[in-house]
Amino acid sequence: MSKLFTPLALRSVTFRNRIFVSPMCQYSSRDGLPTDWHMVHLGSRAVGGAGLVMVEATAVSPEGRISPDDSGIWNDDHVAAFKPIVRFIRENGAVPGVQLAHAGRKASCDLPWRGSGPVGPDARGWQPLAPSPEPFAPGHPVPHELALADLDTVENQFRAAARRSLAAGFQVAEIHMAHGYLLHEFLSPLSNLREDDYGGSLENRMRFPLRVARAVREEWPLDLPLFVRLSCVDWAEGGWSLDQSVCLCRLLKDLGVDLIDCSSGFVASGERVPFAPGFQVPFAAAIRAEAALPTGAVGLITDPVQAEQILVTGQADAVFLAREMLRDPYWPLHAARELGVEAVWPDQYLRAGKQG
C-alpha cells in the first residue's frame, strides 16, 4: 500500500489520503464573499481525489485581507456563501478546511497580475495594521501599530472567525502564522520591534500568536483538528529560526494544535529563498522529530514518487500541493495510477479511469 494513499486520522476526522490542497489565494471574492469561481476551483480538487481541500487565506476582518478581492469570514453572509462549497467538497469525499488569516502590514495590496503593489483608499485599500510601524518594503505604507486594546480586538476576530467556520461546515481550521502576515510579524525580530510584553524576547514575540492559537482552540470543537501554517525560518540574517520554530511548536502542541504546515520566509523584502524541489521538507522533518507533532511538507512537491518518499522516510505525515494542483486538479488520481494504487474515480468520470 502506498503511504501517500494511506488514510490519516486526526481527532475524529479521517482524510482519505495524505494529499492536501494548499490554501492558494484566488483574488476572486467580492467583499470577502466566495464566488462561483471558488465553487469550481475548490470543488474540482475534491472531485480530483485530494484528501483535504483548504480554502485560501480567509481574512478574519476586512483590514486583514491581502487584497480587496480576498476571501473573508468576518460576518454571517460569508457563512452562507461558503456552505454550498463546503457541502460539495464533503459530498465528493474530501475534508474541507479553511485558513484563518490576517495579512498585517502586507495587507491592502493589488492583484498579482497587476503587480501586487500597495493600494490606497482611492483604490479600495486601507491602512494596514502591524506589531510595529515598520513598512514591509520601500514604497509600502507605514502600518498602524497595534495597541494593547487592538490585540484584544484581533484575538476576538479570530475567535469569531473560528465560530463562523464551524457554522459553515468546515472540518479543519488552520491559523496562518507564515509568509510575513500578522502573526508571523509578531514572531520575527525583523518585523517586531515592540518594547512591551509582545516584543523583544522569544517568549514575548510568541505571546500574541499563542494567544490567538489558544482562542481558536477554545472555539474550535475538540473533536476537530486544528492546523498552523508556520514559516519555519526567515531567509534573512537575524530572523526567525528553526530552533525557535521548534520551541513554538512544542507550545502549540500543548494548546491542542494537531499539525504544523511547514513553510518558510517572506517576512522581509529582499529575502533570498533557495527554491528547489522539496526545499522545505527538512523543516517538516525537524519539527516532527523535535516537537513530536504531525507535520505537512510543502514547497515544490510535484512528483508522486517524491511525495511518497517524503512520507515513507518519516519526514512528514502529509504533503501540501499548491501550484501542481493548479496545473492538474486530478493529480491525486494520476498519482494513484503511477504508484500502482486503485484510484476511486467519480462515477461520472469512470470512463476516463478505465482507460490505459
Side-chain angles (χ1 to χ4, degrees):
M1 171 63 73
S2 159
K3 185 75 170 180
L4 188 62
F5 287 91
T6 300
L8 174 65
L10 294 172
R11 298 191 185 252
S12 69
V13 175
T14 298
F15 305 86
R16 60 184 170 185
N17 58 49
R18 295 162 189 251
I19 303 167
F20 291 178
V21 178
S22 273
M24 292 176 282
C25 290
Q26 298 298 295
Y27 309 100
S28 300
S29 297
R30 300 293 176 263
D31 296 321
L33 295 164
T35 62
D36 290 346
W37 178 267
H38 294 87
M39 173 64 87
V40 174
H41 165 68
L42 298 166
S44 295
R45 276 77 198 167
V47 170
L52 168 71
V53 176
M54 183 83 73
V55 176
E56 66 193 75
T58 300
V60 300
S61 65
E63 63 274 10
R65 292 172 293 174
I66 303 166
S67 85
D69 296 305
D70 278 12
S71 172
I73 194 155
W74 63 79
N75 66 42
D76 291 343
D77 290 341
H78 299 128
V79 174
F82 269 120
K83 277 185 174 181
I85 298 171
V86 170
R87 183 171 59 248
F88 186 87
I89 292 170
R90 295 183 68 166
E91 288 173 349
N92 283 277
V95 173
V98 61
Q99 185 183 69
L100 305 180
H102 193 300
R105 69 179 185 175
K106 294 177 76 174
S108 193
C109 287
D110 210 343
L111 308 182
W113 48 88
R114 296 179 186 165
S116 297
V119 295
D122 58 341
R124 299 188 297 140
W126 57 91
Q127 184 184 20
L129 310 174
S132 305
E134 297 290 324
F136 169 64
H140 283 245
V142 175
H144 168 72
E145 182 176 19
L146 291 162
L148 295 181
D150 297 326
L151 299 185
D152 295 338
T153 297
V154 173
E155 177 187 336
N156 288 330
Q157 289 168 343
F158 272 94
R159 281 186 181 275
R163 290 194 297 269
R164 290 193 174 98
S165 298
L166 180 65
F170 289 105
Q171 294 175 282
V172 171
E174 177 173 89
I175 305 170
H176 204 343
M177 295 190 186
H179 301 164
Y181 300 127
L182 183 66
L183 299 181
H184 183 191
E185 291 165 17
F186 272 92
L187 293 171
S188 176
L190 300 177
S191 49
N192 185 345
L193 307 180
R194 297 174 74 99
E195 297 180 353
D196 62 5
D197 289 344
Y198 292 91
S201 68
L202 174 60
E203 180 182 7
N204 283 358
R205 285 183 281 115
M206 292 190 299
R207 192 181 307 278
F208 187 62
L210 289 171
R211 270 183 59 180
V212 170
R214 182 181 297 108
V216 173
R217 182 72 271 182
E218 288 173 357
E219 300 294 337
W220 198 241
L222 289 177
D223 64 330
L224 295 180
L226 177 63
F227 294 3
V228 166
R229 170 159 276 195
L230 182 65
S231 277
C232 297
V233 301
D234 294 336
W235 297 107
E237 187 175 354
W240 181 254
S241 68
L242 182 57
D243 287 344
Q244 292 174 334
S245 288
V246 170
C247 179
L248 174 66
C249 289
R250 288 171 176 159
L251 297 173
L252 290 171
K253 180 182 179 182
D254 291 342
L255 291 178
V257 170
D258 300 290
L259 182 141
I260 305 297
D261 177 359
C262 297
S263 190
S264 67
F266 303 110
V267 77
S269 62
E271 290 183 350
R272 296 184 177 181
V273 183
F275 293 109
F279 73 106
Q280 295 175 148
V281 173
F283 305 142
I287 288 189
R288 188 175 190 265
E290 297 180 37
L293 256 176
T295 59
V298 65
L300 292 178
I301 298 170
T302 60
D303 182 79
V305 174
Q306 174 197 18
E308 181 76 9
Q309 182 195 36
I310 291 167
L311 301 181
V312 168
T313 55
Q315 296 177 87
D317 298 272
V319 291
F320 284 84
L321 273 63
R323 297 183 190 188
E324 195 61 22
M325 291 297 291
L326 293 182
R327 299 182 188 105
D328 180 7
Y330 307 104
W331 191 93
L333 298 175
H334 301 145
R337 177 177 292 167
E338 183 169 337
L339 295 174
V341 175
E342 184 176 353
V344 180
W345 287 72
D347 291 342
Q348 299 90 333
Y349 289 179
L350 284 176
R351 288 166 290 175
K354 292 180 180 178
Q355 291 178 359

